[in-house]
Amino acid sequence: MNLSGLRRSDVASGNPLLKETPPDAAPQGDSANFTWLSSTGYRDGVVLLGGTAIVDFRMRVAQSELRQDLLPSFWSTCGLLIDGEVLMTARVDAISNSSARVERNGLEAVMLDAESRYGDSRFYPNIAILQFTDDHAAIRQHVARIGQERNIVDLLAQIVAWLGYCWAVGDRGNPLMHGHGIPSATLLERAHGLASIDLSPGLPSASSCPEAIWQAARWWYQAYHPTASDPKSAAFTPRGAYLIRQPAAAALGIRDDLQGDQIVGTNRADELIEGLRQSASHPRPTSKRRRPTAKNK
């Protein structure tokens, strides 16, 4: 990718239809994100999430190359919110039911319930809900098409590329620089694109990512107004709400603790590895069976 093609928006201020929730006014805990999401009043649209796991951290840093300031993105994954209950996405941060995902081109429905880590502010401190259209039914239809037609976009190839990068497997560099968008963002970009809505007007290529979607809503909102060449086109200014608890990307390791919203390192050993070592050093005693004696005839 040629970064010299990145375009900078010339608007003087950010989108006034994006409402920020200050971190100190936001809920915390297991289902805090879902509580906040419900409070916004939006039940459909694009959800952006920024996580603290190693995979999330690497995806946030990878997107820094698409920013003028080269800082990590607030966001690591995204999805299409449906009726406030389900998130349609193509995840890299969690691999589940891989056989079904192969049949659906990587598409997955994540229920936003108590079992979903997306609700936990410790694991996903950043969240936003954005709308680029009020025709949500059309976007759902296009998401379904992508799940059935791999020729529209191969999300599985992108998932594999990003897993290799996030897990440091092989010698591949940043997938964004090789034309592989973040699959969850590519899903949304193509679904909206099929509805003639551009989610990344500032990007010179199709390497979509949550950062590009965020920039579109925040700084390119005037690009969605009717143009002189097409004054009758329908106008819909992007809108939504966002909550940034962790502006600087940081990863929560398996031996780290959380104190409030701060990640704190410890000297604690890896419980799984130490448990294996201790069981190897102190094997359980085995009882010897007494060999049966032959009875006298």
Side-chain angles (χ1 to χ4, degrees):
M1 172 186 277
N2 183 5
L3 294 184
S4 64
L6 286 174
R7 294 183 293 156
R8 185 178 179 86
S9 172
D10 56 1
V11 298
S13 59
N15 188 347
L17 297 183
L18 288 185
K19 306 301 182 182
E20 180 180 11
T21 300
D24 56 2
Q28 303 281 347
D30 294 348
S31 300
N33 287 338
F34 299 156
T35 301
W36 174 85
L37 189 59
S38 178
S39 72
T40 67
Y42 292 98
R43 294 183 57 81
D44 296 273
V46 172
V47 170
L48 304 181
L49 292 159
T52 57
I54 294 294
V55 168
D56 294 294
F57 174 79
R58 286 179 62 78
M59 296 179 80
R60 290 174 66 176
V61 172
Q63 295 171 85
S64 66
E65 299 196 43
L66 299 183
R67 291 176 55 98
Q68 296 287 347
D69 55 16
L70 296 181
L71 293 175
S73 174
F74 297 147
W75 319 106
S76 53
T77 191
C78 55
L80 183 71
L81 179 66
I82 297 178
D83 295 332
E85 298 178 350
V86 180
L87 195 69
M88 299 304 302
T89 186
R91 293 196 286 182
V92 176
D93 55 313
I95 301 297
S96 60
N97 199 356
S98 58
S99 295
R101 293 181 68 181
V102 168
E103 293 185 41
R104 295 173 180 150
N105 190 24
L107 188 64
E108 183 180 8
V110 179
M111 297 299 299
L112 301 185
D113 54 24
E115 297 182 4
S116 172
R117 286 167 59 111
Y118 288 156
D120 198 324
S121 61
R122 297 169 299 175
F123 301 122
Y124 289 91
N126 300 341
I127 182 172
I129 174 67
L130 310 172
Q131 288 185 344
F132 293 85
T133 179
D134 54 5
D135 189 358
H136 306 298
I139 305 302
R140 296 182 192 182
Q141 289 289 338
H142 295 317
V143 166
R145 279 189 60 192
I146 294 170
Q148 293 179 310
E149 301 178 35
R150 195 165 170 179
N151 61 307
I152 296 177
V153 59
D154 191 344
L155 296 177
L156 293 172
Q158 294 187 351
I159 291 173
V160 170
W162 278 96
L163 281 176
Y165 171 77
C166 291
W167 293 352
V169 177
D171 56 357
R172 297 177 181 177
N174 186 340
L176 282 176
M177 301 298 103
H178 298 283
H180 293 290
I182 291 178
S184 59
T186 299
L187 169 67
L188 298 181
E189 181 180 309
R190 292 300 176 90
H192 282 76
L194 291 170
S196 301
I197 301 170
D198 186 2
L199 287 197
S200 55
L203 269 184
S205 76
S207 295
S208 187
C209 56
E211 177 66 24
I213 297 174
W214 168 248
Q215 294 293 340
R218 183 99 168 120
W219 299 107
W220 288 88
Y221 58 95
Q222 291 184 353
Y224 297 89
H225 294 172
T227 62
S229 60
D230 189 11
K232 295 183 179 180
S233 61
F236 187 94
T237 302
R239 60 203 59 185
Y242 64 97
L243 168 59
I244 309 295
R245 299 187 186 92
Q246 189 196 65
L252 178 64
I254 58 177
R255 293 180 293 276
D256 295 333
D257 285 333
L258 278 169
Q259 294 182 2
D261 58 354
Q262 299 296 316
I263 298 174
V264 180
T266 70
N267 294 323
R268 182 174 62 248
D270 185 332
E271 295 178 0
L272 173 63
I273 302 301
E274 287 304 308
L276 290 172
R277 287 175 174 167
Q278 290 177 11
S279 63
S281 301
H282 305 286
R284 293 181 180 179
T286 57
S287 58
K288 294 183 179 180
R289 292 184 178 181
R290 300 181 65 179
R291 184 175 296 177
T293 57
K295 294 182 178 180
N296 296 328
K297 293 183 179 180

